[in-house]
Amino acid sequence: QSVLTQPPSASATPGQTVTISCSGSSSNIGGSTVKWYQQLPGTAPKLLIYNNDERPSGVPDRFSGSKSGTSASLAISGLQSEDEADYYCAAWDDRLSGPVFGGGTKLTVL
Amino acid sequence: QVQLQQWGTGLLKTSETLSLTCGVYGGSFSGDYWSWIRQSPGKGLEWIGEINRSGSTNYNPSLKSRVTISIDTSKEQFSLKLNSVTAADTAVYYCARDRGAQGLDSWGQGTQVTVSS
């Protein structure tokens, strides 16, 4: 059971926009910044979003993040087939004194 | 861009000690925390612990009694030892650079660790 809650799956067709939610509590999302990671099959997770809404160099601006209170969202616009992957949210947790993760959302591009 | 490459034993028997090492290449070894994270089908991504260049460590309380993370600054490597392993420790283990608010921005390739009886 993951500390942060994500829907297990999401799907959309190419070109559409999909949003993935992430719910936590005051000890993690509510008091910290949110990160999002993309994991392609058989590879390590890759940082997609940090500081709630900032993109590392090289990440397309089709990916955007937001946070409100104890929840966060990742939006992917102009969906492409190569976006098919697992997406994880993460945040620092004061009780753990370390990062906690969501259970992951498997995105299918129909 | 820093690159992390990890290695270690992938097949263990119950009660043995898991040992993995992560080498840091192409970037500064200072100023950040260096983390170990594992991923299993049942528990998803789980933070194990971290260490900085000075040797200061933080561990997940659920694993703290069995985990030791160490660092060798001369070789720019850091290591994970997890003792008394059981089947519940079967997972893919990753090393990563933790930049705090900037996230885990560089990851090793992952090592599948399987514990059997």
Side-chain angles (χ1 to χ4, degrees):
Chain A
Q1 196 78 357
S2 299
V3 175
L4 306 181
T5 302
Q6 297 179 236
S9 63
S11 63
T13 56
Q16 284 190 323
T17 296
V18 66
T19 301
I20 298 171
S21 62
C22 176
S23 177
S25 69
S26 57
S27 70
N28 41 66
I29 292 179
S32 178
T33 61
V34 177
K35 295 84 174 173
W36 290 91
Y37 298 90
Q38 177 193 58
Q39 187 174 32
L40 298 171
T43 69
K46 169 193 169 186
L47 181 65
L48 209 58
I49 297 286
Y50 66 95
N51 263 348
N52 304 323
D53 58 8
E54 295 191 54
R55 289 184 306 277
S57 173
V59 173
D61 59 6
R62 301 187 296 105
F63 295 89
S64 62
S66 64
K67 170 189 153 180
S68 178
T70 58
S71 296
S73 294
L74 171 71
I76 309 172
S77 62
L79 203 60
Q80 300 178 5
S81 58
E82 55 260 40
D83 298 332
E84 192 161 282
D86 294 327
Y87 293 85
Y88 295 88
C89 59
W92 181 267
D93 188 278
D94 288 335
R95 294 176 200 161
L96 181 69
S97 291
V100 290
F101 297 89
T105 298
K106 184 176 184 63
L107 175 63
T108 301
V109 181
L110 301 170
Chain B
Q1 176 75 2
V2 68
Q3 293 189 355
L4 278 60
Q5 186 169 354
Q6 57 184 101
W7 61 90
T9 307
L11 185 60
L12 296 166
K13 294 187 182 302
T14 300
S15 80
E16 291 184 335
T17 297
L18 179 158
S19 182
L20 298 173
T21 298
C22 184
V24 179
Y25 306 96
S28 173
F29 198 52
S30 62
D32 299 301
Y33 269 86
W34 303 90
S35 297
W36 288 97
I37 294 134
R38 67 183 183 181
Q39 184 174 31
S40 60
K43 296 192 72 176
L45 288 164
E46 181 180 31
W47 175 73
I48 298 170
E50 61 184 8
I51 192 167
N52 67 8
R53 183 184 176 88
S54 301
S56 178
T57 55
N58 296 301
Y59 297 131
N60 187 322
S62 68
L63 299 168
K64 187 174 183 176
S65 63
R66 299 192 292 130
V67 171
T68 301
I69 297 176
S70 59
I71 195 165
D72 185 335
T73 55
S74 66
K75 295 182 179 178
E76 296 197 330
Q77 296 173 356
F78 61 107
S79 299
L80 168 70
K81 289 191 185 301
L82 178 67
N83 58 37
S84 304
V85 298
T86 70
D89 296 311
T90 293
V92 177
Y93 286 72
Y94 294 100
C95 58
R97 180 174 71 174
D98 188 350
R99 312 209 91 177
Q102 284 72 48
L104 297 155
D105 72 336
S106 295
W107 294 67
Q109 78 276 22
T111 301
Q112 172 68 52
V113 174
T114 302
V115 181
S116 68
S117 54

